[in-house]
Amino acid sequence: MKESDLARIRELGLFSGMDANRFSDLTSGAFMQKFPANTTLLYEGDTVDFLYILLEGAVEIQGAWHDKETTLAVVRPLSVFILSSVVLDAPALMSARTIDRSEILMLSAEGFRRAMRDDSRLALSIAEEMAGWNRALVRQLKNMKLRSAAERLANYLLTLQVQQGGGTTLHLPHEKRILASLLGMTPENLSRSFAGLADYGVEIHGNEIRLTMMTALKRMAKPSPLIDNHMPPLDHLSGKAERELWPPNSRAGKIIHD
């Protein structure tokens, strides 16, 4: 494995505090693999033998029930996914499929659990990641249960605007099928929601979005720092990073649990 790849993995909060020797031991048996687009990496219910670290490409995390299927997250570099199943040595609750040609580092699940038991700093990092994910899940549940479809879409666009530099012209990072699923909608509901937001200055042209009435859009969306990560944190809240499931990923490292 390239030293440059190891250096990138070290950037993830999960590994940044690890003892150097234990990190070397953990990654010594790892292997890199390149997958074409539309490759299923694992199915929900599978035994999880590896912790996956996405270095290049994109991976869709999915769930299914009978003939229904939904997108739970889209993972982009640099990201770890299927962490909870690895920690608990439990079957996967989610499936994972590549969207683009992807380069993934695979760490032994058993080796990771052994390192977790031996390295207190890694164990602490895992606890912090799990806590951040739990808070993100609460945000997601509040967003889904307390807001209309149009309000969810409006706040998604405000999140996207922040993550893409604060401009008024945005590029949707997902195809609309995936976006609808991430926001808990059907594609038809997503189209209706976009149409409804036209009164608030949202113009859509393919995958390009223009926001022409930011004040009106924010007034309609009513963003809250207790739901939305695009809002400045309240003074009394922790500044620790939280992991989100449904908003678009930034370039920072992400941890996707199941």
Side-chain angles (χ1 to χ4, degrees), residues 157 194 197-204 209-213 217:
L157 295 177
F194 267 120
L197 292 184
D199 292 339
Y200 301 94
V202 175
E203 301 176 1
I204 180 168
I209 307 288
R210 292 189 64 234
L211 307 180
T212 63
M213 300 165 58
L217 182 63

Side-chain angles (χ1 to χ4, degrees), residues 5 17 28 34 63 77 82 84 89 96 102 121 129 136 142 148 165 172 192-193 206 209 215 219 231 237 242 248 257:
D5 290 333
S28 63
K34 296 179 180 179
I82 315 297
S84 296
D89 193 13
S102 300
R121 284 175 290 187
E129 294 292 350
K142 289 169 70 176
S148 67
L172 291 178
R192 285 193 289 268
S193 295
I209 307 288
T215 300
R219 187 181 301 119
M231 292 291 291
L237 293 183
E242 296 178 28
H257 310 257

Side-chain angles (χ1 to χ4, degrees), residues 107-168:
L107 295 177
S108 162
E110 178 56 39
F112 183 80
R113 286 190 291 271
R114 187 165 54 249
M116 176 184 68
R117 290 190 293 267
D118 294 341
D119 192 319
S120 60
R121 284 175 290 187
L122 175 61
L124 177 60
S125 294
I126 292 171
E128 289 177 343
E129 294 292 350
M130 294 287 195
W133 172 80
N134 182 72
R135 288 174 59 83
L137 181 59
V138 171
R139 288 178 184 269
Q140 183 190 30
L141 288 172
K142 289 169 70 176
N143 184 64
M144 293 289 186
K145 289 178 173 289
L146 298 175
R147 286 173 169 162
S148 67
E151 288 168 341
R152 295 199 298 275
L153 177 58
N155 279 285
Y156 174 90
L157 295 177
L158 292 177
T159 300
L160 192 62
Q161 191 231 8
V162 171
Q163 294 187 343
Q164 294 189 359
T168 56

Side-chain angles (χ1 to χ4, degrees), residues 22-215:
R22 289 198 174 108
F23 179 76
S24 179
D25 290 341
L26 175 63
T27 55
S28 63
F31 59 95
M32 193 81 70
Q33 191 157 345
K34 296 179 180 179
F35 297 93
N38 299 313
T39 299
T40 298
L41 303 172
L42 78 162
Y43 292 97
E44 54 186 291
D46 282 353
T47 299
V48 181
D49 296 320
F50 301 100
L51 180 66
Y52 297 88
I53 304 176
L54 179 66
L55 297 178
E56 300 293 340
V59 173
E60 182 179 4
I61 304 297
Q62 302 171 310
W65 184 75
H66 293 290
D67 59 345
K68 296 180 179 179
E69 190 174 82
T70 189
T71 302
L72 301 171
V74 174
V75 184
R76 298 190 184 277
L78 182 67
S79 304
V80 172
F81 57 100
I82 315 297
L83 175 62
S84 296
S85 291
V86 170
V87 170
L88 296 174
D89 193 13
L93 296 181
M94 305 183 287
S95 300
R97 178 185 68 87
T98 59
I99 298 175
D100 304 324
R101 183 177 180 277
S102 300
E103 189 170 333
I104 298 174
L105 179 71
M106 303 166 72
L107 295 177
S108 162
E110 178 56 39
F112 183 80
R113 286 190 291 271
R114 187 165 54 249
M116 176 184 68
R117 290 190 293 267
D118 294 341
D119 192 319
S120 60
R121 284 175 290 187
L122 175 61
L124 177 60
S125 294
I126 292 171
E128 289 177 343
E129 294 292 350
M130 294 287 195
W133 172 80
N134 182 72
R135 288 174 59 83
L137 181 59
V138 171
R139 288 178 184 269
Q140 183 190 30
L141 288 172
K142 289 169 70 176
N143 184 64
M144 293 289 186
K145 289 178 173 289
L146 298 175
R147 286 173 169 162
S148 67
E151 288 168 341
R152 295 199 298 275
L153 177 58
N155 279 285
Y156 174 90
L157 295 177
L158 292 177
T159 300
L160 192 62
Q161 191 231 8
V162 171
Q163 294 187 343
Q164 294 189 359
T168 56
T169 299
L170 314 177
H171 179 77
L172 291 178
H174 314 302
E175 59 182 278
K176 293 186 177 69
R177 170 193 67 82
I178 292 177
L179 176 57
S181 190
L182 288 173
L183 295 175
M185 307 179 195
T186 64
E188 294 76 17
N189 283 339
L190 179 66
S191 295
R192 285 193 289 268
S193 295
F194 267 120
L197 292 184
D199 292 339
Y200 301 94
V202 175
E203 301 176 1
I204 180 168
H205 307 281
N207 279 343
E208 185 176 282
I209 307 288
R210 292 189 64 234
L211 307 180
T212 63
M213 300 165 58
M214 288 297 300
T215 300

Side-chain angles (χ1 to χ4, degrees), residues 241-253:
E242 296 178 28
R243 307 308 183 188
E244 295 293 352
L245 295 181
W246 65 266
N249 287 337
S250 68
R251 298 298 297 177

